[in-house]
Amino acid sequence: MTITATQAAGPVDVTVNETVNETVHLLPQTRQLRALHTVIRDRHADLGRFVTTSGRIIRQLIETALDLLPYEPVDVQTPVGETYHGLRPAKPICGVPVVRAGESMEHELRAVSPGVRIGKILIQRDKVTKLPRLYYSALPADIDRHSVLLLDPMLATGGTALAAVEVLLDHGVAEDDIVFVALLSAPEGIAAVHARHPNLRIVTSAIEERLNENAYMIPGIGDFGDRYFGTDVPR
C-alpha cells in the first residue's frame, strides 16, 4: 500500500508494508498542514515563527494521539437535566518526552490535558559506537498503569525511539499502551521500529522521502531541537 504525503517539497509516495499502515497514523495532508510545513522547513524562518508554527502542528499530533487511547463509557447530567452518554479515558495519561527535542511537545500536551503527568528520558548517540545510550530517566512509579505518549519530533533511524520504548517496557508499560508521537518520520525509522515492535502505534505529520548518507531526513527540517530552542544561532 502507498501513502501519499503531500509535503512542502511536493507529493511524495512512500511505500510501506501492510503492518506499518495499520499502525502509522498520518495526519490528513491538508493544504493548511502543507502551509505550516512550508514555514518550519524554511531555513530562513525566525525563532518565533518556527516555535509558533511547529506548535500548531504538534497540537494536531497530540489530539490525534489522544484519540487512539482507550476510553470507557460515563454518564453525565446536562444543565437541562438530561443524561449524556459520554466517554472518558480508561487509564490515566503520562507524557514522556525524549530530552531535549521532545520537550518542545510537552507544552501542547499540557495545554489539552492540564493534569497530565510527565516523565523524562535522555538518550544520546555514543560518539564512539554510534549507538543510542540511555543517560537518564525519571518516570512515575506507577507508569505501568498509564497510557503513555512517547514524544520525540524526529523519527529518523529509529535507534532513539527503540531505546526509549525499551525503557518504558522495562518499567512495565505494555506495548499496546504506548503511542509514539513524531513531527517527521523517515521510512527507515518506521521500518526499524516495527521490525521489533510491529504493533507500536506511531502518529506523525509527514513521512519523508528517505535518509541521506548522514542519516538526515530528506527533504527534512534540520536539527529540530536547535531550531526550536534557538541554539542554532551563530555566535
Side-chain angles (χ1 to χ4, degrees):
M1 181 176 179
T2 299
I3 295 176
T4 300
T6 303
Q7 305 169 340
V12 177
D13 288 337
V14 180
T15 302
V16 291
N17 62 43
E18 185 175 344
T19 301
V20 169
N21 278 284
E22 291 174 351
T23 52
V24 173
H25 298 264
L26 182 65
L27 291 185
Q29 300 295 293
T30 62
R31 291 181 297 173
Q32 182 190 63
L33 181 61
R34 184 173 179 182
L36 296 176
H37 269 274
T38 302
V39 173
I40 63 174
R41 291 176 188 268
D42 184 352
R43 66 187 303 170
H44 300 297
D46 62 35
L47 178 60
R49 199 166 183 221
F50 184 88
V51 170
T52 299
T53 307
S54 59
R56 291 178 61 187
I57 301 173
I58 291 168
R59 179 72 67 91
Q60 295 181 50
L61 291 167
I62 295 296
E63 295 283 9
T64 300
L66 291 173
D67 192 55
L68 298 177
L69 303 183
Y71 288 81
E72 62 186 13
V74 61
D75 292 343
V76 296
Q77 297 298 308
T78 73
V80 296
E82 296 297 318
T83 299
Y84 177 75
H85 304 292
L87 295 171
R88 65 184 174 194
K91 291 184 176 183
I93 300 166
C94 180
V96 180
V98 178
V99 180
R100 166 185 68 155
E103 292 176 307
S104 64
M105 309 174 82
E106 184 178 331
H107 173 75
E108 302 304 329
L109 175 57
R110 286 194 181 278
V112 299
S113 185
V116 70
R117 300 175 75 181
I118 299 292
K120 301 280 184 176
I121 295 177
L122 172 59
I123 296 171
Q124 292 183 340
R125 181 183 293 185
D126 188 282
K127 293 182 180 180
V128 177
T129 66
K130 307 300 182 183
L131 298 174
R133 178 180 174 186
L134 174 66
Y135 283 87
Y136 170 81
S137 67
L139 303 171
D142 60 347
I143 194 171
D144 58 317
R145 296 198 290 271
H146 287 63
S147 295
V148 177
L149 300 188
L150 184 57
L151 310 174
D152 194 349
M154 303 289 101
L155 174 55
T157 64
T160 298
L162 286 170
V165 169
E166 290 302 323
V167 173
L168 295 176
L169 296 178
D170 288 345
H171 282 76
V173 181
E175 184 175 306
D176 289 345
D177 285 332
I178 302 171
V179 178
F180 187 86
V181 186
L183 184 73
L184 303 184
S185 299
E188 295 91 334
I190 293 173
V193 169
H194 282 122
R196 190 178 302 177
H197 304 290
N199 297 319
L200 186 75
R201 291 165 295 174
I202 297 171
V203 176
T204 190
S205 72
I207 299 175
E208 300 293 86
E209 294 178 18
R210 58 181 175 85
L211 297 177
N212 67 12
E213 61 277 6
N214 296 314
Y216 283 104
M217 296 188 197
I218 302 297
I221 197 173
D223 188 306
F224 183 89
D226 277 345
R227 295 188 69 193
Y228 187 91
F229 293 107
T231 51
D232 63 333
V233 180
R235 292 181 182 275

